Structures are given as structure tokens and as C-alpha cells.
Amino acid sequence: MEKRKRTNALKDDENEDNIWWLVVQRGLAPSFISLSLFALLVRVAVSLHPYSGAGKPPKYGDFEAQRHWMEITLNLPASEWYRNSTANDLSYWGLDYPPLTAYQSYIHGLILRNFLPDSVSLQTSHGHESYLGKLLMRWTVLSSDVLMFFPAVFYFIVVYYSGSRTGCKNDWAWHVAMILLNPCLILIDHGHFQYNCISLGLTIGAVAAILSDKDLLACFLFSLALNHKQMSAYFAPAFFSYLLGKCLRRQNPLLEVLKLGFVVIGTFSIVWWPYLQSVEAFLQVLSRLAPFERGIYEDYVANFWCTSSLLIKWKRLFTIPSLKLLSLGATVSASLPSMVPQIWAPSKQGFLYGLLNSSLSFYLFSYQVHEKSILLPLLPASFLAIDEPFLFKWMMHYALLSMFPLMCRDELILPYISLSALFILLYHAPGGRKEKRDALSPSNLKSFVVVFLVLCSLVLHVVYFAVSPPEKYPFLFEAMIMLLCFSQFLFITGYTNIKQWMTLKDSALENKEKKHL
């Protein structure tokens, strides 16, 4: 009895220092609501700051692009949304996302028109920046987060921690905080201004459906994600290989594949229905989704093409058709190593690594990658945060660094610093992380290398913000940031591919053990 009392007393002492233990005492749903309210408050605080293109005519920025799409979808028939005309000048923020984004713009446009018609009036509303207009626009992103992203995270957490992970209450509270308070996502959606929360929310729902063996639902949700933002294709190799591998192990593989195919084709057909009436209309939309004329990269994004362009002038040496083939070949080649083990022996843990590997492959090698595209690899990295905490922290650190020049242009330095600090505080809060399990933790690496790389990134922050670059090399500091981030993303890609192949060996050992039993 005395021993038990001592043990309980020790546990209570430990729990007093464990903020996550305090969070989870009232159960999953109340705790999730509490964390969600805090995450929502952080989003509101960030939304009080400037946005992309604020007060910068003639084209402004992403804020104006989203507002303009509401204007177009409200005032023109669906057949004219992607077509160049006097009423819809495609050179002025022409709609270049799939139809589901257009429908979302229409719904949000109805809200703006109800409260402030001038903010979405055809052509006369260009550059509209009234206080109420900005407030309504910010509200549409916040409501999208609450309706799409937050419920999807809840679904994922419930599924992920069912079964063998049921007892890890501290883990799931920390995990929820890591996903909901992702500084990169908050900065882009609620600072810079976009609606990534919708496509990412649909993807999270699809992942949770996979983990709960609801493959048809997963196909439906992921098809919606693809129809909201074509960048969701970053995850397509992982979904395809896992589901194909699973179908091949069923009694009637062809029937299983046909069922999944029917859901995908049916979903696409419903979303694209207004544009399936003619080949011309269909091709018009398709051409808008793949703007190859912009070149293989823009700005200083930390991927292969932009980084290697310091030595190889891709845009000068190769034509656009040649670059399309090169990027396609490189992306497929980089994705294949993560697809093969899933087709051979599909596993849920392998699927999560596959999501990270395929999205990194696209980020590093695909055509027309933006700084904001790092949000896609960060999502599966957050899924794996419990098993790979140091990997997640390391990737978040360099994802933030890769976005730093963009945040400077948008005048979002204060939210950038604040969210970075909040992430570090939550990550290191007592009781949340388990780096002892992590093969990538600093204890297993040369500590001085980790410290050196972190110092380099901190110095680059200060230099970029405080020092003027030489006139001969005006983008010198952007290039240095890009090089450092690219090297780390490449290292992470190699590590996670190895880890995925290790899950294949683990599943093979489990199968052998089951046979012996």
C-alpha cells in the first residue's frame, strides 16, 4: 500500500509539471475544443496584420486574387469563369485552380455581396480594400478553417490514437497542438492570405479514412482535395500505391480497383460537370491549371531546379517542352522509391511515410513550385510528429526559413517571430515530445553539426533583415537561404525514404511471427 501511494505521489508530481496532462483531464472532445479555441485566437491575431499585396497597385497580391475570383464567379456564368473576355481579363488574376475552388469563391462571394456589394462588383471592385471588406475576407478564411480543417484534424486524431495508442493522452494533446498551430499554415492562410486549410483539411480527412480502412471515403475526399487545389497531386503517388497494393491482396483485385475508380471518376464528373459539355470548355479549364509559360520556377524556392539554376541556366538552355519532360521524369523517379514498398506490402505507417516522401519529391523536382508549396510536405511530417519529433521540428524550422523572404515582402515579420517562438515553446513543453525514440534526434548525430546549421539559419535571418545585399548580386541572401533549406530538405528526403523501406522489413517480420504463432 505504501509503495502504491509513493508511486501515485510521484505521478502527481510529474503531472503537475506536465501541461498536456492538465489539458486532457476532461476528455478528448472538451480538450480538443480548448486547443481549437486557442488556435483560432492565434489565427485572429495574425489576421490583424498586413496581407499579400496590401496597398500595392496595380495587381496587389494573393488577397486581391481571391477577392477577384469571388467577383468573377458571382457576376459571370460558370462557362465564362476560365475564359478570357472583356469582362474577365485572365491577365488580371485569372482563375487558375480547379472548379471546386471556383465554387468556394462563389459561396464566399455571396457572403461579401450580402454585407458589402461594392467589394465584389464586376470590374469596379478591383483593388477594393475597405475595412469591412478586409474583415469579411479574413472571416471567410477563419470560417473555412473551423468548418474544414479543425474537424478533419479531430477525425485524424481519433483514428490515429485508437487501438494500441489509446492510452497516450499526453501525446495526442501535444499532437493536436502541433497540427493546429502549424506556424507556416497560419502565416500563409491568415497572414499572406489563402485557403490552403480547405484542400489540406480534405486531405487530412482522406488520410484518416485510410487509417480507418474506409477506402471509398478516402478516394472521395482526396478527389475533392485534388479538385480544390491541383497541388494536392503531391500526395497522389502515396494514395495510389497504398490503395493499389491493398487491392492486389484482395480476393478480386480487379473489382476492388473498379470500385475505387468509380468513386474517383464519379467525384470528378460531378465537380467538372459544367465543363464536360464540350471538349473546348474542358481543355480551356485544363490549360489554366497548368501555366507552363511561367517557367519551371518562380522566385527563390528551395527546390532542385531553382537551386541548381545558380550553375545551370535551365530557362536559357532548354525549351519549355523539354523542361516539362525533365521535371516529370525527375518527379516520377524520385517518387518511385516510396511507391514500390507500398505496392509490394502496404502498411498504414508506410503510407504516412509515403505521403511525406511523395510530397517532398514533388516539392523538390516538379514544375512551377512556390515557397508556399512546403505546406504540403509539412502536413505528413506533422502526422509523424510523435514517431519522428526531431524530424518534424527540423523540417518546420527550415520550412519557416524558406518562407522568410516572402514574409518580409508581406510585412509579416512580427507574426513570423511570434509563431516561431510559440511553436518552440509548445514543442518543448513538458510531457509532449518523445525524442528518445527518434533516430534523428541530436543525441544520435554530431551535435556540433546541428548547432552549426541552426546558427547559420539564425544568422541568415538577421543578415537578410538588417543588411543590404551588394548591387551586383541583389538576391544574394535569398540564394543563401535557398541553398541551406534545399540541402536540409534533400537530407530529410533521403532519411524518410530509408525509414519507409524499414517499415517494409518490420511488416515482413510481423508476418513471419504471425505464421509461427
Side-chain angles (χ1 to χ4, degrees), residues 8-290:
N8 290 335
L10 283 169
K11 282 183 180 177
D12 289 338
D13 289 339
E14 285 175 10
N15 289 333
E16 281 178 11
D17 296 328
N18 186 343
I19 67 164
W20 305 110
W21 181 84
L22 296 172
V23 170
V24 300
Q25 285 313 291
R26 293 188 177 273
L28 175 59
S31 303
F32 185 85
I33 291 169
S34 300
L35 289 167
S36 297
L37 287 172
F38 178 67
L40 191 62
L41 183 63
V42 171
R43 283 160 166 77
V44 171
V46 172
S47 68
L48 298 174
H49 291 80
Y51 48 81
S52 171
K56 295 176 183 176
K59 289 193 72 174
Y60 301 90
D62 275 21
F63 179 92
E64 170 63 10
Q66 302 289 345
R67 188 215 58 77
H68 179 62
W69 296 345
M70 297 177 197
E71 168 199 339
I72 292 300
T73 53
L74 273 176
N75 295 288
L76 297 176
S79 59
E80 297 295 320
W81 291 352
Y82 293 89
R83 191 185 300 275
N84 193 51
S85 64
T86 52
N88 183 21
D89 182 4
L90 293 181
S91 65
Y92 184 80
W93 296 119
L95 191 56
D96 54 6
Y97 283 115
L100 199 59
T101 286
Y103 305 147
Q104 166 235 311
S105 297
Y106 176 78
I107 293 167
H108 287 156
L110 289 173
I111 297 168
L112 265 70
R113 187 168 67 182
N114 187 53
F115 291 96
L116 190 62
D118 290 348
S119 65
V120 284
S121 60
L122 190 62
Q123 294 184 327
T124 59
S125 62
H126 288 192
H128 185 95
E129 290 187 308
S130 69
Y131 175 78
L132 181 57
K134 288 186 275 190
L135 191 66
L136 290 168
M137 288 285 285
R138 290 295 197 187
W139 183 87
T140 60
V141 185
L142 286 166
S143 60
S144 299
D145 240 333
V146 171
L147 293 172
M148 299 296 298
F149 191 78
F150 285 40
V153 173
F154 182 77
Y155 179 28
F156 170 79
I157 291 295
V158 168
V159 171
Y160 189 76
Y161 286 94
S162 62
S164 60
R165 294 181 183 267
T166 306
C168 307
K169 288 184 177 179
N170 296 341
D171 284 356
W172 68 250
W174 179 82
H175 207 170
V176 168
M178 292 298 100
I179 300 174
L180 289 185
L181 290 158
N182 179 334
C184 292
L185 177 60
I186 296 172
L187 284 167
I188 292 298
D189 275 15
H190 300 275
H192 181 82
F193 200 93
Q194 284 196 351
Y195 294 91
N196 294 290
C197 54
I198 297 176
S199 57
L200 293 180
L202 290 166
T203 301
I204 294 171
V207 171
I210 288 282
L211 297 181
S212 56
D213 295 312
K214 297 175 182 175
D215 297 340
L216 295 178
L217 176 61
C219 284
F220 172 68
L221 292 172
F222 185 60
S223 296
L224 289 179
L226 285 167
N227 278 291
H228 186 262
K229 284 203 171 187
Q230 60 268 43
M231 286 190 303
S232 300
Y234 282 33
F235 303 122
F239 277 93
F240 173 80
S241 56
Y242 175 81
L243 290 170
L244 178 61
K246 203 171 173 183
C247 287
L248 291 174
R249 275 147 189 80
R250 297 280 176 83
Q251 196 170 8
N252 195 333
L254 183 59
L255 179 62
E256 297 299 326
V257 171
L258 287 173
K259 284 196 297 188
L260 297 176
F262 178 77
V263 173
V264 172
I265 293 168
T267 307
F268 269 79
S269 298
I270 293 167
V271 175
W272 282 71
W273 184 251
Y275 307 101
L276 298 179
Q277 312 305 314
S278 71
V279 175
E280 184 190 355
F282 175 76
L283 292 176
Q284 178 67 38
V285 179
L286 211 58
S287 66
R288 293 296 304 159
L289 305 186

